[in-house]
């Protein structure tokens, strides 16, 4: 049973006809053509599928897309403005914080949520924020460093 | 579609083009990037074109008249940064700006057959081939330039592809190749550029793909969207060897969007229009299938005993004549047994592949580590000519060896066969990956050694029990797990024993009498290559045992190792570690423990030494990993930041294996089906990590991607012993195993 649903993703509203039970992840990938949020476990265990919904990091692999109606959804695709990288993306690049990169979406989203609430996090708070995201390549120490670097850059998040 | 060398030459001649460089419209039916696909397209300069043998320059390097350079490699990008490293090598050798360079990797339609991207071989293999090919291109073009500019070859200057003669006349690579036809072989005569002239090699050139990753650009095979693409899921059997008894498929077929349900023996797959529809059908399938399940035997508590009792005569890998005698006469003698459970690759993103059949030809977009072995094995699966199969490598989630990548590719092809003309995308579920990937084998290492009064190791005797460390597909379809589930199943013949199992089992230390025996064990779980193969467990055992011997001899662990080594490079790595860790000035309180370990990977690749610091935190926690400091030497270092990144990653991954990981299963099946039942290290528990590089630009580059795995495990064990007094010889090293 499809239904028409309005979703606001990265500042653009779009009406889609979709099974309202369909988890947001598939809608973002199939209807919005996004690649940032990814399937990792479908179990709320790995953070690959994270987006920000009203500023809160939210899993999208199980939660129906209809639950996100009326919320402001942000993905990493929406971060860079006018071709210029967001300062968090910039510091990830400068630190070369990725190996395979599958977890980078979850790491960026978790870090962004943290930095907006707490622009000067300590090491412990950074780890705590990134803890929900699985990284199998062991790039954690670079992610931690990149978040610290972004915080030190005094940018607005 | 591979075309033969003769056809290719004829084709190129008739179109009036050339081989080292040119602009040519693509061979239309060869394009991997079908129209409207969303992955980065190759820029127009370089046409898609099959390679025709490793001895031809253009199998590795191509130039075009517009100033682009294309580097080709059969090796895959696995997140190890190989693309950047190979481009650095080519740009330097050609003396061109790195921005001109572009790389194509792993495509049976285009790149040379370089087997698997494994064993830390890529820089040693592909890197050296590309370097030579680039040198040959320059050598050849400079000869042309010398004629054109009427100046002696030796007096020409090259800068970013522009060639200047002493009297300031100019030409460029691009002018020289414009409109010409050159097909040149690698002569081996071209001189390699002096290392002092390197602009890129040895520098931390950033990986451009990280820019795409942070922006969320399409990058992974998971992100590939091809026209009219449909989605599939496979319902794997509930456990090894399970047989489908019955299925009531009405409810599944009735679901919205379901296009096809496939049941072939015990291989069940569903295709739907949308991914979510395929997922729902998969969930439903679980409810409507009935299986007959054989039990798994032995279960974990009987595993190690079973390994010993079920194996018979060992393979003698190495044996010096005096070994038995020496074992009885050394003044200090020790014997210890170490064990490693099954552990998994656990890729963050489950395996995914796309396939399409058209006119009896198959194209597969795959995250495999080896496009050619995959092609050959698909040819066996479909009993067809491999020339009709094209395998295009696209990055997947990090694999660290043989994970589900090949299996998912074969399954996508099996499914797509039932919908010719359609691009079928198959993605595994988390439980598919956890349950069906081939694990790193469980192992037993029994070591015995004797040391002289002077602290010199006199004798070393090892026995190893292990299942296979390589069941990768190499032409036999039974190596794809689902090929065994078909109505007409393909047999699985394991083979591939030995080699990987005793990797690094022979100490690099200078020991007069050595014996190494291997007991091949056919274990209960599916196993194959996991980063480092047997080296991880062998070095864990060997370097833990060295620590025990050093203790028994009353010698400091650095001193003990250095005294027993002859290899100067090994000693240099240890000396550097000692200096970087300030070993002699470390805080030695009762709550802190330090351990070191060292290995030269495969005894032929990179040198790596590491120190680990653990701390007693609370009674409950027993100990916590605080810091890891590593020193790596991989000969000539192509990209120091890439080397450090990969080494840090290897250290953290190994720490996770070592502290937490063990596959849970019982007789009914695998229990480690997700991240809760198979937890791995997360950000909260990551220790401080520091890596130092010793660069030896004058020496050949050595493979480094797996160098950290074994030493980190042993250094943790040694540090835990130092801190708590408990010697844990069975992985993982958990708090429960430490006496309090
Ligand atoms: S995919 Fe959503 S948490 Fe893993
Ligand atoms: S970089 Fe590969 S999973 Fe994190």
């Amino acid at each position: 049973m499809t239904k028409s649903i309005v979703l606001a993703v990265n500042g653009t509203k779009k009406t889609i006809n979709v099974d309202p039970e369909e988890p947001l992840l598939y809608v973002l990938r199939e209807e919005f053509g996004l690649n940032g949020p990814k399937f990792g476990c479908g179990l709320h265990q790995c953070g690959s599928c994270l987006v920000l919904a009203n500023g809160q990091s939210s899993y999208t692999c199980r939660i129906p897309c209809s639950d996100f109606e009326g919320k402001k959804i942000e993905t990493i695709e929406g971060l860079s403005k006018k071709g210029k990288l967001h300062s968090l993306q910039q510091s990830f690049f400068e630190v070369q914080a990725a190996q395979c990169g599958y977890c980078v979406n979850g790491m960026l989203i978790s870090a962004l949520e943290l930095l907006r609430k707490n622009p000067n996090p300590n090491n412990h708070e950074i780890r705590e924020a990134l803890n929900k995201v699985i990284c199998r390549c062991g790039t954690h120490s670079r992610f931690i460093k990149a978040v610290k670097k972004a915080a030190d850059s005094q940018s607005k998040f | 579609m591979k075309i033969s060398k003769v056809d290719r030459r004829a084709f190129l001649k008739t179109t009036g083009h050339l081989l080292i460089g040119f602009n040519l419209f693509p061979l239309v039916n060869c394009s991997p990037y079908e129209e409207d696909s969303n992955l980065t397209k190759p820029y127009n300069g370089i046409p898609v074109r099959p390679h025709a043998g490793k001895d031809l320059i253009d199998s590795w390097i191509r130039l075009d008249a517009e100033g682009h350079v294309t580097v080709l490699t059969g090796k895959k990008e696995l997140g190890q940064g190989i693309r950047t490293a190979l481009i650095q090598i080519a740009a330097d050798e050609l003396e061109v700006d790195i921005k001109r360079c572009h790389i194509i990797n792993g495509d049976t339609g285009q790149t040379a057959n370089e087997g698997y991207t494994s064993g830390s071989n890529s820089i040693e293999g592909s890197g050296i081939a590309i370097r030579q090919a680039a040198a040959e291109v320059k050598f050849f073009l400079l000869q042309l330039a010398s004629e054109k500019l009427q100046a002696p070859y030796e007096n020409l200057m090259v800068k970013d592809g522009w060639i200047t003669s002493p009297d300031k006349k100019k030409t460029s690579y691009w002018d020289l190749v414009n409109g010409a036809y050159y097909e040149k072989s690698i002569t081996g005569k071209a001189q390699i550029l002096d290392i002092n002239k390197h602009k890129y090699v040895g520098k931390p050139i950033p990986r451009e793909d990280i820019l795409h990753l942070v922006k969320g650009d399409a990058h992974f095979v998971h992100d590939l969207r091809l026209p009219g693409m449909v989605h599939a899921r496979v319902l794997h059997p509930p456990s090894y060897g399970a047989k489908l008894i019955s299925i009531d498929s009405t409810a599944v077929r009735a679901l919205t969007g379901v296009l096809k349900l496939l049941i072939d023996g015990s291989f069940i797959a569903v295709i739907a229009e949308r991914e979510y529809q395929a997922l729902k059908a998969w969930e439903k399938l679980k409810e409507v299938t009935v299986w007959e399940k054989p039990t798994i035997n032995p279960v974990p508590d009987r595993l190690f005993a079973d390994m010993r009792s079920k194996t018979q005569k060992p393979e003698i890998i190495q044996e010096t004549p005096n070994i038995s005698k020496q074992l009885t006469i050394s003044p200090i003698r020790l014997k210890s047994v170490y064990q490693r459970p099954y552990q998994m690759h656990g890729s963050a993103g489950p395996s995914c592949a796309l396939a399409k059949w058209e006119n009896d030809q198959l194209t597969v977009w795959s995250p495999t580590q080896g496009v050619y072995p995959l092609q050959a094995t698909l040819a066996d699966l479909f009993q067809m000519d491999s020339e009709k199969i094209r395998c295009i490598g696209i990055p997947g989630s990090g694999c660290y060896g043989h994970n589900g990548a090949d299996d998912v590719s074969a399954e996508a092809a099996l499914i797509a066969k039932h919908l010719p003309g359609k691009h079928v995308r198959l993605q595994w579920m988390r439980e598919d990956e956890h349950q069906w990937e081939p694990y790193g084998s469980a192992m037993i290492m029994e070591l015995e050694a004797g040391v002289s009064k002077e602290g010199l190791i006199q004798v070393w005797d090892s026995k190893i029990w292990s299942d296979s460390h390589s069941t990768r597909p190499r032409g036999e379809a039974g190596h794809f797990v689902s090929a065994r589930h078909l109505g007409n199943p393909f047999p699985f013949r394991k083979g591939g024993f030995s080699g990987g199992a005793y990797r690094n089992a022979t100490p690099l230390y200078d020991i007069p009498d050595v014996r190494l025996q291997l007991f091949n064990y056919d274990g209960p779980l599916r196993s194959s290559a996991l980063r480092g193969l047997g080296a991880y467990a062998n070095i864990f055992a060997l370097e833990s045992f060295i620590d025990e011997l050093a203790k028994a001899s009353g010698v400091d662990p650095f001193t003990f190792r250095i005294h027993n080594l002859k290899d100067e490079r090994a000693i240099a790595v240890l000396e550097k570690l000692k200096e970087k860790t300030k070993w002699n000035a470390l805080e030695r309180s009762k709550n802190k423990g330090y351990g070191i370990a060292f290995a030269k990977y495969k005894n032929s690749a990179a040198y790596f030494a590491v120190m680990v610091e653990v701390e007693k935190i609370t009674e409950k926690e027993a100990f916590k990993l605080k810091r890891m400091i590593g020193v790596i030497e991989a000969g000539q270092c192509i990209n120091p930041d890439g080397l450090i990144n990969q080494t840090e990653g290897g250290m953290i991954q190994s720490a996770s294996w070592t502290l937490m990981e063990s596959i849970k299963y019982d007789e009914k099946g695998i229990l480690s089906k997700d991240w809760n039942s198979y937890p791995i290290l997360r950000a909260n528990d990551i220790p401080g990590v520091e890596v130092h590089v010793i660069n030896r630009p004058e020496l050949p580059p050595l493979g480094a991607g797996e160098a950290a795995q074994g030493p980190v495990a042993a250094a943790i064990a040694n540090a835990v012993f130092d801190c708590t007094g408990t010697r844990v010889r069975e992985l993982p090293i958990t708090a429960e195993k430490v006496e309090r």
Side-chain angles (χ1 to χ4, degrees):
Chain A
M1 235 40 70
T2 66
K3 206 182 131 199
S4 127
I5 285 180
V6 185
L7 291 175
V9 180
N10 297 329
T12 314
K13 275 197 182 154
K14 194 167 157 181
T15 309
I16 47 166
N17 272 310
V18 63
D19 177 347
E21 286 302 307
E22 180 162 327
L24 181 66
L25 176 65
Y26 302 101
V27 176
L28 291 177
R29 295 186 65 92
E30 286 183 58
E31 300 298 322
F32 290 81
L34 298 174
N35 299 301
K38 291 174 182 36
F39 181 86
C41 66
L43 302 163
H44 294 188
Q45 294 175 355
C46 78
S48 308
C49 63
L50 290 175
V51 301
L52 291 178
N54 288 346
Q56 300 282 338
S57 65
S58 325
Y59 298 116
T60 58
C61 56
R62 298 183 79 82
I63 305 174
C65 58
S66 49
D67 283 23
F68 289 86
E69 260 191 311
K71 290 190 178 157
K72 182 177 162 213
I73 302 166
E74 290 170 86
T75 75
I76 60 170
E77 283 94 338
L79 290 181
S80 51
K81 293 276 162 347
K82 300 198 188 97
K84 204 175 161 294
L85 289 187
H86 182 278
S87 57
L88 187 60
Q89 292 171 314
Q90 185 65 35
S91 58
F92 269 56
F93 179 66
E94 281 168 14
V95 171
Q96 290 277 289
Q99 289 178 69
C100 81
Y102 204 85
C103 63
V104 163
N105 173 71
M107 294 291 178
L108 281 168
I109 293 289
S110 308
L112 196 61
E113 176 187 38
L114 169 72
L115 291 172
R116 284 191 186 159
K117 290 181 187 155
N118 174 3
N120 285 307
N122 62 29
N123 196 294
H124 175 75
E125 289 162 332
I126 296 175
R127 286 159 180 269
E128 198 59 49
L130 302 185
N131 201 56
K132 56 183 164 305
V133 186
I134 285 275
C135 171
R136 188 49 160 168
C137 297
T139 319
H140 310 74
S141 54
R142 290 198 172 209
F143 294 127
I144 295 166
K145 199 161 140 195
V147 177
K148 189 100 203 87
K149 183 166 181 170
D152 291 345
S153 75
Q154 305 285 333
S155 320
K156 235 182 90 42
F157 301 104
Chain B
M1 315 314 94
K2 213 151 79 189
I3 51 178
S4 75
K5 202 161 163 175
V6 177
D7 289 350
R8 185 179 85 133
R9 202 166 290 163
F11 171 81
L12 292 163
K13 282 233 169 84
T14 54
T15 51
H17 286 92
L18 44 128
L19 275 205
I20 290 180
F22 58 110
N23 292 310
L24 171 63
F25 47 88
L27 290 178
V28 184
N29 58 358
C30 283
S31 173
Y33 303 97
E34 309 217 354
E35 277 159 60
D36 301 329
S37 115
N38 62 326
L39 281 197
T40 331
K41 300 184 184 198
Y43 61 88
N44 298 330
I46 298 298
V48 169
R49 180 184 42 201
H51 85 94
K54 288 186 185 177
D55 53 332
L56 285 182
I57 291 175
D58 97 325
S59 293
W60 305 102
I61 300 273
R62 295 174 192 168
L63 271 65
D64 71 12
E66 284 174 0
H68 299 122
V69 174
T70 296
V71 177
L72 294 104
T73 171
K75 299 292 181 183
K76 273 289 301 291
E77 177 66 50
L78 307 173
Q80 81 283 45
I82 188 72
R83 292 166 65 96
T84 308
L86 294 177
I87 285 181
Q88 285 175 261
I89 293 175
D92 263 346
E93 214 49 56
L94 282 167
E95 297 187 85
V96 297
D97 192 296
I98 201 162
K99 294 221 166 63
R100 295 184 182 276
C101 301
H102 164 93
I103 190 161
I104 295 175
N105 49 352
D107 177 354
T108 58
Q110 303 192 77
T111 61
N113 184 352
E114 293 192 81
Y116 279 109
T117 306
S118 65
S120 304
N121 275 326
S122 301
I123 294 281
E124 290 176 53
S126 214
I128 285 166
I130 286 166
R131 168 177 292 170
Q132 189 61 36
E136 303 271 354
V137 170
K138 192 172 76 187
F139 180 55
F140 173 72
L141 291 173
L142 284 184
Q143 286 170 318
L144 291 183
S146 152
E147 260 171 55
K148 185 169 169 189
L149 303 179
Q150 295 291 306
Y153 171 90
E154 316 72 57
N155 297 348
L156 298 175
M157 299 273 297
V158 187
K159 199 171 171 214
D160 190 22
W162 285 91
I163 305 163
T164 320
S165 65
D167 54 352
K168 300 280 176 292
K169 280 191 284 187
K170 267 189 153 188
T171 183
S172 70
Y173 292 169
W174 347 111
D175 290 344
L176 292 167
V177 299
N178 198 7
Y181 172 89
Y182 305 117
E183 180 171 272
K184 290 285 158 192
S185 298
I186 293 177
T187 62
K189 286 201 196 112
Q191 282 271 326
I192 299 294
L193 190 73
D194 186 274
I195 50 168
N196 294 317
K197 290 198 174 160
H198 283 166
K199 269 178 71 185
Y200 301 111
V201 168
K203 306 266 162 25
I205 306 295
R207 275 173 53 187
E208 282 297 312
D209 54 345
I210 295 182
L211 207 56
H212 298 295
L213 289 166
V214 300
K215 291 199 291 185
D217 292 343
H219 171 85
F220 298 97
V221 65
H222 308 72
D223 303 332
L224 188 56
R225 295 169 181 104
L226 294 168
M229 181 172 88
V230 292
H231 296 268
R233 286 292 181 277
V234 170
L235 181 75
H236 288 103
S239 65
Y240 297 131
K243 295 239 165 340
L244 181 66
I245 300 295
S246 67
I247 176 167
D248 175 3
S249 61
T250 10
V252 177
R253 292 183 201 273
L255 289 172
T256 332
V258 169
L259 298 170
K260 205 151 207 133
L261 176 64
L262 284 176
I263 305 164
D264 182 348
S266 296
F267 177 67
I268 307 176
V270 61
I271 314 176
E273 273 158 33
R274 289 179 72 86
E275 187 165 10
Y276 175 58
Q277 293 165 339
L279 176 69
K280 273 187 26 185
W282 175 82
E283 278 168 350
K284 189 92 216 152
L285 277 169
K286 283 189 163 182
E287 297 165 14
V288 299
T289 40
V290 181
W291 301 83
E292 178 194 293
K293 299 195 286 179
T295 54
I296 297 186
N297 191 18
V299 290
D301 18 325
R302 293 203 309 271
L303 178 66
F304 294 113
D306 192 68
M307 280 180 130
R308 285 177 183 270
S309 69
K310 291 261 176 62
T311 44
Q312 274 139 29
K313 261 185 76 177
E315 262 181 67
I316 312 276
I317 309 296
Q318 192 183 4
E319 184 169 31
T320 54
N322 295 328
I323 177 101
S324 307
K325 181 154 158 263
Q326 191 60 49
L327 276 171
T328 60
I329 56 173
S330 284
I332 301 164
R333 294 194 300 272
L334 282 185
K335 183 172 171 178
S336 290
V337 178
Y338 303 85
Q339 289 170 339
R340 180 233 192 169
Y342 285 100
Q343 294 174 320
M344 70 169 71
H345 304 75
S347 294
S351 297
C352 176
L354 279 77
K356 177 171 143 172
W357 285 85
E358 198 146 50
N359 307 326
D360 294 322
Q361 308 224 352
L362 168 65
T363 308
V364 180
W365 291 261
S366 167
T368 177
Q369 285 182 287
V371 283
Y372 281 95
L374 175 64
Q375 180 194 44
T377 315
L378 288 170
D380 186 47
L381 178 63
F382 296 108
Q383 297 292 305
M384 67 193 275
D385 191 350
S386 64
E387 303 273 298
K388 294 201 164 137
I389 302 171
R390 177 162 181 201
C391 296
I392 301 168
I394 312 267
S397 180
C399 62
Y400 332 104
H402 179 194
N403 68 345
D406 293 306
D407 293 313
V408 81
S409 306
E411 291 171 358
L414 281 167
I415 299 167
K417 195 150 199 238
H418 295 265
L419 270 188
K422 282 269 185 212
H423 291 106
V424 175
R425 176 185 184 274
L426 169 65
Q427 185 174 302
W428 274 11
M429 300 301 290
R430 174 47 49 200
E431 61 174 70
D432 294 325
E433 193 74 38
H434 264 57
Q435 218 183 328
W436 284 98
E437 65 146 275
Y439 306 126
S441 176
M443 289 172 72
I444 305 174
M445 287 75 47
E446 188 180 296
L447 306 184
E448 199 173 346
V451 181
S452 74
K453 287 215 179 64
E454 295 71 40
L456 291 175
I457 310 169
Q458 296 170 311
V459 54
W460 190 281
D461 191 18
S462 346
K463 290 189 186 124
I464 298 169
W465 285 259
S466 177
D467 200 342
S468 173
H469 291 265
S470 182
T471 61
R472 291 182 190 271
R474 295 186 194 271
E476 288 184 22
H479 287 243
F480 295 134
V481 82
S482 281
R484 304 175 213 166
H485 302 154
L486 297 172
N488 277 321
F490 284 80
F492 172 60
R493 280 179 291 268
K494 196 173 267 176
F497 271 122
S498 68
Y502 58 84
R503 185 172 283 181
N504 275 98
T506 306
L508 192 72
Y509 300 99
D510 188 38
I511 306 170
D513 280 303
V514 180
R515 179 165 58 194
L516 171 56
Q517 303 178 70
L518 172 65
F519 296 82
N520 287 314
Y521 172 64
D522 192 3
L525 307 189
R526 185 180 186 214
S527 71
S528 192
L530 171 60
R531 197 173 189 178
L533 314 190
Y536 167 69
N538 287 325
I539 297 169
F540 159 67
L542 194 163
E543 284 288 304
S544 294
F545 198 47
I546 285 281
D547 217 59
E548 297 192 47
L549 293 171
K551 277 267 146 28
S553 314
V555 183
D556 165 88
F558 270 106
T559 315
F560 188 78
R561 284 175 172 83
I562 291 169
H563 272 173
N564 280 287
L565 280 165
K566 272 218 174 116
D567 186 323
E568 295 293 331
R569 292 167 75 179
I571 294 171
V573 167
L574 282 161
E575 299 277 12
K576 179 88 159 191
L577 181 69
K578 195 169 173 185
E579 171 206 324
K580 290 292 175 191
T581 55
K582 306 197 176 68
W583 180 253
N584 291 327
L586 286 169
E587 179 201 335
R588 306 270 170 184
S589 70
K590 73 174 192 332
N591 282 335
K592 285 199 182 279
Y594 306 93
I596 63 163
F598 155 82
K600 175 181 189 184
Y601 182 55
K602 299 197 270 189
N603 287 343
S604 66
Y607 296 81
F608 179 75
V610 60
M611 186 200 80
V612 159
E613 176 184 322
V614 299
E615 198 176 283
K616 256 189 236 168
I617 306 290
T618 60
E619 274 310 303
K620 189 173 120 269
E621 251 184 319
F623 66 91
K624 189 165 169 78
L625 191 56
K626 295 301 285 182
R627 275 202 297 163
M628 301 194 280
I629 302 179
V631 175
I632 188 150
E633 193 251 275
Q636 177 186 37
C637 170
I638 309 295
N639 187 327
D641 188 60
L643 179 62
I644 292 170
N645 193 0
Q646 221 191 348
T647 306
E648 289 170 350
M651 290 164 75
I652 292 174
Q653 187 179 62
S654 174
S656 180
W657 294 353
T658 305
L659 295 171
M660 313 181 68
E661 300 185 27
S662 165
I663 301 211
K664 292 184 198 66
Y665 68 96
D666 64 13
E667 54 196 13
K668 293 205 213 78
I670 303 292
L671 301 169
S672 297
K673 290 188 187 184
D674 58 26
W675 298 118
N676 288 348
S677 46
Y678 190 86
I680 67 170
L681 213 58
R682 292 177 182 247
N684 274 341
D685 295 312
I686 298 298
V689 182
E690 195 180 306
V691 174
H692 303 274
V693 175
I694 299 179
N695 188 10
R696 298 198 185 273
E698 70 289 356
L699 296 177
L702 295 175
E706 297 153 302
Q709 310 309 109
V712 164
I716 293 175
N718 297 340
V720 167
F721 176 77
D722 190 40
C723 179
T724 65
T726 310
R727 172 64 59 186
V728 182
R729 299 191 184 87
E730 184 183 341
L731 294 168
I733 303 173
T734 55
E736 297 78 64
K737 290 183 188 157
V738 175
E739 290 159 32
R740 265 160 279 174

